[in-house]
Amino acid sequence: TWQHSDAQPLSAIANNCNVWNNLRDHLPNPYTVTDALQWISHSKDQNPAINFAVTFNGELAGSIGCVIKQDVYRKNMEIGYFIGEKFWGNGIATEAVRLLLEYIQQHSDVVRVYAEVFEHNKASMKVLQKNGFYLESIRHKSVIKHNTLLNDYVWVKMLNNSL
C-alpha cells in the first residue's frame, strides 16, 4: 500500500512526460509532491485497497490499481498502471499486473478485467498479453491526447469467477 514517504519519488516518476504521454489527462501535469500526497491520502482511505505502489529492489517504481465498475457493469473492473521510465524494460509492469490479478481474484467477485491502452503504447500491450489478456476491440479515434485523435485498444481477461 502507499506510504507518505512515497510522495517524493511518486512525483518524480509521474512528472515525466514520457510516462504522462501514456496516461489519461486527469493525472496532473506537472505532477507535484502535493498531488502525490493527495493521491496517497485518497488511496489510504480505500477499503478494500484498490491502488498500490509498485516497488523494485526496495525502490518505488510506479503505480497500479483498479476501478470497480457500478450498476450493470458491476462484474467488470478496469485496471491501470504506470512504471517510471528508469525502470522500463525490467518486467516490472508484467509482474505487477500478475500480482494485481491475483489480488482481484482473492478480494472480489469480478468476472471481467480490462485495460484501455493508447495505440502507441506497445509495451503496455505486451504486458497485458503476457498476463493472458486478449485484444477485444480497437476504438478508432476515441481518445484525444495532445490535441491528436488516437485509437484506444481494449484488452480483456476473463476470470474464473462466475455468476
Side-chain angles (χ1 to χ4, degrees), residues 88-119:
W88 291 357
N90 289 303
I92 298 166
T94 301
E95 179 65 7
V97 168
R98 186 189 71 73
L99 291 170
L100 182 63
L101 289 169
E102 280 183 12
Y103 180 83
I104 290 168
Q105 285 195 288
Q106 291 171 4
H107 294 92
S108 78
D109 62 353
V110 167
V111 173
R112 182 179 181 273
V113 177
Y114 69 95
E116 300 171 351
V117 183
F118 299 158
E119 65 183 275

Side-chain angles (χ1 to χ4, degrees), residues 13-156:
I13 289 168
N15 198 41
N16 178 318
C17 273
N18 292 327
V19 171
W20 187 77
N21 287 337
N22 295 305
L23 303 174
R24 295 179 182 166
D25 288 347
H26 75 265
L27 188 87
N29 185 321
Y31 194 90
T32 66
V33 172
T34 299
D35 294 320
L37 286 168
Q38 288 172 346
W39 173 250
I40 291 166
S41 178
H42 165 77
S43 296
K44 285 182 138 325
D45 289 342
Q46 297 168 336
N47 188 16
I50 57 172
N51 293 292
F52 303 95
V54 175
T55 59
F56 181 70
N57 292 335
E59 188 176 354
L60 183 73
S63 177
I64 193 165
C66 46
V67 177
I68 302 166
K69 298 301 177 173
Q70 305 284 323
D71 196 33
V72 297
Y73 301 105
R74 64 188 171 272
K75 294 293 184 181
N76 291 260
M77 189 174 289
E78 180 180 9
I79 66 167
Y81 49 89
F82 62 87
I83 301 297
E85 187 173 14
K86 80 175 194 174
F87 299 100
W88 291 357
N90 289 303
I92 298 166
T94 301
E95 179 65 7
V97 168
R98 186 189 71 73
L99 291 170
L100 182 63
L101 289 169
E102 280 183 12
Y103 180 83
I104 290 168
Q105 285 195 288
Q106 291 171 4
H107 294 92
S108 78
D109 62 353
V110 167
V111 173
R112 182 179 181 273
V113 177
Y114 69 95
E116 300 171 351
V117 183
F118 299 158
E119 65 183 275
H120 59 262
N121 195 347
K122 304 300 183 203
S124 188
M125 292 185 208
K126 287 181 184 175
V127 164
L128 296 166
Q129 280 181 306
K130 289 177 183 177
N131 277 286
F133 285 72
Y134 66 90
L135 180 62
E136 180 180 70
S137 67
I138 300 172
R139 297 185 296 197
H140 296 278
K141 297 187 186 266
S142 63
V143 171
I144 188 161
K145 186 76 175 176
H146 298 296
N147 292 317
T148 302
L149 283 170
L150 303 172
N151 297 335
D152 183 41
Y153 287 60
V154 180
W155 291 83
V156 174

